[in-house]
Amino acid sequence: MKRKTPAKEAPVVDPALLAEARRSAGADRAVPVRKCEVCGGEVTVLSGAHAGEDLCWVCRRLKISAWRDADLQASTGGE
């Protein structure tokens, strides 16, 4: 006995609309992505004092934590 193949269903989303959505979503990535100097991850864009740093958010948080630890050790006399 032959298997019955299911009938082709019409697409849920119009292919022209889907193609337009894909093109518009790709436009957001037109800006080149910078890489983190430490881990190679995607750099978060900042303004202000940290604008020149090429660090991802994880490496930036680790750097801030290291500064806090160093300041705490310096204030307690390095014990």
Side-chain angles (χ1 to χ4, degrees):
M1 185 175 254
K2 289 186 176 180
R3 280 190 167 179
K4 292 183 180 179
T5 57
K8 282 251 181 175
E9 294 181 14
V12 176
V13 179
D14 181 31
L17 181 62
L18 189 60
E20 179 65 30
R22 285 186 177 138
R23 280 193 301 273
S24 67
D28 295 342
R29 285 288 186 183
V31 177
V33 177
R34 295 187 322 210
K35 299 287 183 178
C36 177
E37 295 174 351
V38 178
C39 69
E42 188 174 326
V43 171
T44 53
V45 180
L46 293 176
S47 60
H50 301 289
E53 292 181 341
D54 285 339
L55 296 175
C56 67
W57 70 272
V58 175
C59 292
R60 185 172 289 114
R61 294 300 304 162
L62 290 171
K63 178 181 173 182
I64 291 169
S65 295
W67 282 348
R68 286 186 188 142
D69 290 345
D71 288 345
L72 183 61
Q73 289 177 358
S75 66
T76 60
E79 292 180 40

